[in-house]
Amino acid sequence: MARLPGLGPRSARRAVLWLVKRRESDLPRLLEALATVQERLVECETCGNVDTMNPCHICADPRRDERSLCVVEEVSDLWALDRSKLFPGRYHVLGGRLSALDGVGPEDLAIGSLLARIDKGGIDEIVLAMNATLEGQTTAHYIAERLEERPVRVTQLAHGLPVGGELDYMDEGTLAQALRARRPVG
Amino acid sequence: MARLPGLGPRSARRAVLWLVKRRESDLPRLLEALATVQERLVECETCGNVDTMNPCHICADPRRDERSLCVVEEVSDLWALDRSKLFPGRYHVLGGRLSALDGVGPEDLAIGSLLARIDKGGIDEIVLAMNATLEGQTTAHYIAERLEERPVRVTQLAHGLPVGGELDYMDEGTLAQALRARRPVG
């Protein structure tokens, strides 16, 4: 229990005690719910999303713009972006990021399947939506290079001030990026 | 003492006691330093910066690009941007932001003097570097409108993911902006 993200040893003990007290009522329901997860959740063979169906709800939705593909590191990133409801297209989950430290190379990520999706045709734009971390940006750079020869427009998320950001509290890197990428008004 | 930003009543008491203990050594030096501040610091009549000279070091520096002017809300924003050493031009401090709540209107900000600087000529670009807050953006919008008729290029700081930003931890507004303002790679 203590290995769940967000739970330390102390809160894990508290959660276990809470469940033990409720072993007649809530514990069976949790067991059932987790068993359903184990049984029913599958990875979408097209995009790598985790859902109760394969292809996932997003890949199967005909209202989604199939010409636009947003590449993310993890399923959690896909969910975060999709919550904002602003991207009309579909996704592709890499399953991680390039990392020399952790020994993650291009062959460990779903890059081959991304190229295969593009080569099937019908895709105009690839949005690289990697984290603004060093590893995320290295990954974005690598994929952009692999896509150079292909007939798709490659874009990436804007970097700059976050919503609510005050200049005086921003790190210098963010200020520098916001200044460098300044854009015309109106 | 407790009214200094960053000091609560408890740390203010601690600071005062520290000074009382050192009233023979450090207290006179602090008094002297603060008296120097009171005597020597002046507001730059050109840009509104606070410095030991008027015009300030930035306005007086001939290596600064005088064709580019960065408009900020407060002196602290000017200092934050100038620490990043990425802006080669000069500044203009508004002295606040438009705020219906606080009763701050355009006439309370240094907008007249900004227009006068532009009308003197020699300025090509105005960079609106307001905070990414509602009031900051309202102010930027207002100034952009006032500048519409004038022969200057008006830009504003980029908004999006801050350095180190991970998608899963970003608020939806920031994700939406990063997606909307996505830019071509390479």
Side-chain angles (χ1 to χ4, degrees):
Chain A
M1 201 77 159
R3 290 172 60 189
L4 291 173
L7 282 189
R10 186 189 285 261
S11 41
R13 262 199 306 275
R14 226 178 289 141
V16 167
L17 274 175
W18 189 90
L19 285 171
V20 167
K21 264 198 214 157
R22 287 161 182 76
R23 64 182 170 279
E24 308 281 327
S25 55
D26 287 328
L27 184 54
R29 283 168 52 204
L30 181 62
L31 282 174
E32 205 182 319
L34 289 176
T36 316
V37 165
Q38 193 189 12
E39 268 167 42
R40 292 188 38 206
L41 280 199
V42 285
E43 196 173 290
C44 172
E45 275 169 33
T46 311
C47 74
N49 189 12
V50 169
D51 202 346
T52 53
M53 53 194 261
N54 171 22
C56 71
H57 280 96
I58 296 174
C59 286
D61 187 343
R63 293 166 307 176
R64 289 276 180 163
D65 183 355
E66 56 193 347
R67 290 163 309 169
S68 195
L69 206 59
C70 182
V71 182
V72 295
E73 296 177 22
E74 302 281 3
V75 174
S76 55
D77 299 329
L78 185 164
W79 291 359
L81 274 174
D82 217 52
R83 268 200 303 275
S84 81
K85 289 194 199 300
L86 260 140
F87 185 66
R90 293 182 179 155
Y91 295 91
H92 191 86
V93 179
L94 293 176
R97 61 211 65 82
L98 294 179
S99 168
L101 217 62
D102 298 333
V104 179
E107 67 288 348
D108 301 312
L109 304 177
I111 294 177
S113 58
L114 172 65
L115 299 177
R117 280 180 87 175
I118 295 169
D119 290 343
K120 268 207 293 188
I123 294 174
D124 294 340
E125 183 190 12
I126 299 291
V127 183
L128 299 176
M130 268 80 252
N131 290 332
T133 56
L134 188 61
E135 292 180 342
Q137 293 308 297
T138 307
T139 310
H141 193 77
Y142 174 82
I143 296 180
E145 274 193 351
R146 293 283 299 266
L147 296 180
E148 249 170 19
E149 308 276 281
R150 285 174 167 82
V152 286
R153 192 158 52 97
V154 183
T155 58
Q156 80 174 65
L157 293 187
H159 292 179
L161 299 181
V163 167
E166 299 184 41
L167 269 62
D168 201 15
Y169 293 93
M170 288 291 126
D171 62 291
E172 289 179 20
T174 299
L175 285 180
Q177 269 189 334
L179 204 48
R180 215 181 300 127
R182 64 184 183 261
R183 55 191 173 73
V185 168
Chain B
M1 203 76 159
R3 290 172 59 191
L4 291 174
L7 282 189
R10 185 190 285 260
S11 42
R13 263 199 305 275
R14 226 179 289 141
V16 167
L17 274 175
W18 189 91
L19 284 172
V20 167
K21 265 198 213 157
R22 286 160 183 77
R23 64 181 169 280
E24 308 282 325
S25 55
D26 287 327
L27 184 55
R29 282 169 54 205
L30 180 63
L31 282 174
E32 207 181 317
L34 288 177
T36 315
V37 165
Q38 192 189 15
E39 267 167 42
R40 292 190 37 206
L41 280 199
V42 286
E43 194 172 292
C44 173
E45 276 170 32
T46 311
C47 73
N49 190 11
V50 169
D51 201 347
T52 53
M53 54 194 261
N54 171 20
C56 72
H57 281 95
I58 295 174
C59 286
D61 188 342
R63 292 165 308 176
R64 289 277 181 161
D65 183 355
E66 56 194 346
R67 288 164 309 169
S68 195
L69 206 60
C70 182
V71 182
V72 295
E73 295 178 22
E74 301 283 1
V75 173
S76 55
D77 299 328
L78 186 163
W79 291 359
L81 275 174
D82 217 52
R83 271 199 302 275
S84 81
K85 289 194 197 304
L86 259 142
F87 185 66
R90 293 184 178 153
Y91 295 90
H92 190 86
V93 179
L94 293 176
R97 61 210 65 79
L98 294 179
S99 167
L101 218 63
D102 298 333
V104 179
E107 66 289 347
D108 300 312
L109 304 177
I111 294 177
S113 58
L114 172 65
L115 299 177
R117 278 179 89 175
I118 294 169
D119 290 342
K120 267 207 293 187
I123 294 174
D124 294 339
E125 183 190 12
I126 299 292
V127 183
L128 298 176
M130 267 83 253
N131 290 331
T133 57
L134 187 61
E135 291 181 343
Q137 294 308 297
T138 307
T139 310
H141 192 78
Y142 175 82
I143 296 179
E145 275 195 348
R146 292 283 298 266
L147 296 180
E148 249 169 22
E149 308 276 281
R150 286 175 167 83
V152 286
R153 191 159 53 95
V154 183
T155 58
Q156 80 175 64
L157 294 188
H159 293 181
L161 300 181
V163 166
E166 299 183 41
L167 270 61
D168 199 16
Y169 293 93
M170 287 291 125
D171 61 291
E172 289 179 21
T174 299
L175 285 181
Q177 269 189 334
L179 203 49
R180 214 181 301 127
R182 63 183 183 262
R183 57 193 171 71
V185 168

